[in-house]
Amino acid sequence: DIQLIQSPSFLSASVGDRVTITCRASQGISSDLAWYQQKPGKAPKLLIYDAVTLQSGVPSRFSGSGSGTQFTLTVSSLRPEDFATYYCQQVNSYPLTFGGGTKVEIK
Amino acid sequence: QLQLQESGPGLVKPSETLSLTCSVSGGSIISTSAYWGWIRQPPGKGLEWIGNIYYSGNTYYNSALKTRVTIAVDTSKNQFSLRLRSVTAADMAVYYCARLSGIYDISPGYNIGMDVWGQGTTVTVSS
C-alpha cells in the first residue's frame, strides 16, 4: 500500500499568514493527489485534485504543487474560515490512502 | 445537485455486522465517471478509506478490512451499501459515503477525487 506522510501534523498560524503543508508519498504517484479540508463535525471537502487543479468554487488563495512523491498545499493568506484539518489522498492506485492530517489552528 | 445520504443503525453489538446504506439523489448511480465509496473516521482520528464500487459491481477494498467488508450496489434503488462483519470497538467511527469522480470508460481508468460526500453517520459498537 502507498503510505502518505503529512507534515506538520499541527500548525498554529495567524490570519493573513502564508501556510504550507507537505505530503510525501512512499512511492511515485504521478500527479494523482487530492487535498481535502475538514471542519469539526463536517464531511471533508475536496479542494484540489490532480495535485494542482482547484476544485470549482474553491478560493484562489489555495494552491497545490508537486508530482511524484512530494506535494504541497499552500494557503497564501489565511482567513478565519480556513482554520480546519487538511488531508491529502492518493488516487493513483488501490487501495486508496489518506495522509494523517494537518490541523491548522489560530495562534 | 447530487446528494448522498447515509442511513443505518447507530448502535451495533460487538461481533455482529454493521450495515449501512447510501442513497444517491439528484443523479444516477449509473455513471461512467463515478465510483461510489465508503470512508470512516474514528473519534478524534483521521480518515480511513474503506472501499469503492462501480455501478457494474466492480469493487476495491482497504487491505486491512477486505476480509470483513462487502460493498454492494443496487441500481434500481440508486443506492449502495456497506457491510462490515465481526465488528469490535475499533470499528466505532463516523462513516461517510462519497462519490469518487474520474474517467472510467477508458482503460485504464483515471481517478480524480472524492467530490461529493454524505453528512456522515455515527456508529457505536457496544453491547
Side-chain angles (χ1 to χ4, degrees), chain A residues 19-43:
Chain A
V19 165
T20 298
I21 298 168
T22 297
C23 180
R24 188 179 79 250
S26 58
Q27 63 191 71
I29 57 170
S30 186
S31 296
D32 300 331
L33 190 96
W35 289 98
Y36 300 86
Q37 177 192 66
Q38 186 181 33
K39 297 182 178 179
K42 299 295 186 182

Side-chain angles (χ1 to χ4, degrees), chain B:
Chain B
Q1 75 273 20
L2 192 80
Q3 291 185 312
L4 305 182
Q5 178 67 58
E6 305 90 350
S7 61
L11 179 64
V12 182
K13 291 182 169 58
S15 80
E16 295 193 344
T17 298
L18 179 163
S19 295
L20 297 174
T21 297
C22 183
S23 298
V24 180
S25 60
S28 176
I29 204 167
I30 299 175
S31 170
T32 58
S33 60
Y35 265 78
W36 306 93
W38 290 97
I39 303 93
R40 69 181 183 179
Q41 186 169 36
K45 296 189 177 181
L47 301 170
E48 180 180 32
W49 175 77
I50 299 172
N52 284 353
I53 190 165
Y54 197 52
Y55 75 90
S56 63
N58 188 45
T59 53
Y60 296 97
Y61 295 127
N62 182 313
S63 306
L65 299 173
K66 66 187 304 181
T67 60
R68 298 194 291 132
V69 170
T70 301
I71 297 176
V73 64
D74 186 335
T75 56
S76 67
K77 295 182 178 179
N78 226 33
Q79 295 176 338
F80 62 104
S81 62
L82 169 71
R83 286 173 56 85
L84 180 64
R85 296 175 289 280
S86 304
V87 298
T88 69
D91 295 310
M92 287 204 301
V94 176
Y95 284 74
Y96 296 101
C97 59
R99 180 180 73 176
L100 173 66
S101 282
I103 302 169
Y104 304 116
D105 54 358
I106 58 173
S107 183
Y110 178 76
N111 296 322
I112 293 173
M114 300 185 128
D115 61 344
V116 183
W117 293 67
Q119 64 185 26
T121 188
T122 300
V123 175
T124 301
V125 177
S126 176
S127 53

